Amino acid sequence: DVPEAEIDCIVDFSHHTVTPALLDFAIARKLPTVLCTTGHTPEEKVKIAAAAEKIPLFFSANMSLGVALLKAGGSRIPRGGN
């Protein structure tokens, strides 16, 4: 157990089924949260969006640098054709 006074933020790489309870905990304590899990249901995604209105929240299902660069650069890659 970690005393709540010592928690600065939450970084979660666990399982998507933990997300609702984790967000309740974070919201109740106004803790910034980073969610890095995959497989969220539509209902869980709604809860994530609602939580983002109440606390600082970063959500990325894939934290790999390569995926982030592909996402950022994908719109800059020329498409076929002349």
Side-chain angles (χ1 to χ4, degrees), residues 22-77:
L22 181 86
L23 291 175
D24 289 341
F25 179 88
I27 291 167
R29 290 155 184 84
K30 297 181 175 36
L31 290 170
T33 301
V34 179
L35 295 177
C36 313
T37 56
T38 61
H40 288 100
T41 65
E43 294 81 13
E44 290 165 345
K45 289 179 181 179
V46 168
K47 181 141 186 151
I48 292 167
E53 297 292 325
K54 299 173 183 170
I55 58 172
L57 181 74
F58 179 80
F59 170 57
S60 178
N62 190 320
M63 297 298 282
S64 97
L65 177 59
V67 170
L69 291 173
L70 284 173
K71 284 183 176 182
S75 62
R76 296 185 191 115
I77 297 173

Side-chain angles (χ1 to χ4, degrees), residues 1-12 22 25-34:
D1 289 329
V2 176
E4 290 181 23
E6 295 182 23
I7 300 173
D8 294 318
C9 70
I10 298 169
V11 179
D12 178 41
L22 181 86
F25 179 88
I27 291 167
R29 290 155 184 84
K30 297 181 175 36
L31 290 170
T33 301
V34 179

